[in-house]
Structure formats: C-alpha cells, structure tokens
Amino acid sequence: MPGGAIAVASDHAGFDLKEILKRDLVEAGLDVLDLGTDSTRSVDYPDYGHAMARAVASGQAVRGVLVCGSGIGISIAANRHPEVRAALVHDVTSARLARLHNDANVVAFGQRTIGTETAREALKVFLDTEWEGGRHAARVAKLSKDCTR
C-alpha cells in the first residue's frame, strides 16, 4: 500500500460504490481524502475528475479512486491533467496491469458496470501493486508530455 493519502471522488451515479470503497480504505488504516460528492443528488462528473487531478498534482494525495456511472467520463476529465494517469478498470487483471505497465496513479470504476466485490478486489490489487518501470518507463514518460504541439 502506498504511503500518503488516497483521495476518493465520485459523481451521483458513483456515490454508493465510492462510499463502500472509502469504508474499505479507512478500515485498512489508510488516510482518505474525500473530494465528494456527498449524496446521490445530480452533479457534474468533470468537477470531481478535475478535483482529483488537482489533489494528485499538488501532492495532497498519492493515489486516487474515481467512480461515476460508467467510469468513462470521470476518467476522461482526470486524464486532461498531465500529472494524472487514470485507468478505468473492470477486474483485478486490468487493475494490476494499470499499475505494473502504466504507473497509473488513479483508478476509475463504473458503478453501473462493475460488481461491488470485483471493485473492492480490484482496488486492493491496484494499491498493492508496484510499478514495474524498466521497459515501460519511456512510454509512461510520454503520457505526461504536451501532445498538442
């Protein structure tokens, strides 16, 4: 498990799963930073993806957990920031590979697309897996470069 805070954030469609995952993190003795939302009242997922990105970029959090209905929109929002490597995962294999090969620092789930137990297991694997580095280092470095030029 990484040292430092784990940030969690969701929109309304991911709120229930976020709360379950947050409880698991707290029960594991980890420092958790909850960036919202705080209910199932409709909100805009980009706001929470951007909040996560700011927390990771500033060092407020060393890893992050994002949840929306599909996991797609909130991960797109977070990945607009060069400091974030958010991976939408669907199982423990994709969670492990996101860390091993891509040095993902944020994991994203879709509450409507993943079972609760699968998400819980995938989060544990995500947090327990170290980055492999080596042959992946140059590729991962390219992920943070400005590709608009």
Side-chain angles (χ1 to χ4, degrees), residues 30-43:
L30 297 170
D31 181 21
V32 178
L33 172 64
D34 189 340
L35 303 171
T37 192
D38 59 2
S39 75
T40 57
R41 189 182 75 255
S42 184
V43 294

Side-chain angles (χ1 to χ4, degrees), residues 25-112:
L25 295 170
V26 169
E27 288 176 2
L30 297 170
D31 181 21
V32 178
L33 172 64
D34 189 340
L35 303 171
T37 192
D38 59 2
S39 75
T40 57
R41 189 182 75 255
S42 184
V43 294
D44 298 329
Y45 61 80
D47 297 336
Y48 297 92
H50 294 309
M52 174 66 69
R54 287 189 299 273
V56 169
S58 71
Q60 227 182 338
V62 295
R63 295 269 189 285
V65 181
L66 291 171
V67 190
C68 71
S70 67
I72 297 169
I74 204 163
S75 62
I76 290 172
N79 278 324
R80 306 244 340 162
H81 301 261
E83 303 86 1
V84 173
R85 292 174 304 282
L88 172 58
V89 305
H90 301 286
D91 51 35
V92 295
T93 300
S94 54
R96 183 177 299 106
L97 292 173
R99 288 290 306 133
L100 279 174
H101 294 180
N102 307 113
D103 195 22
N105 52 10
V106 175
V107 64
F109 298 107
Q111 181 172 308
R112 296 176 183 145

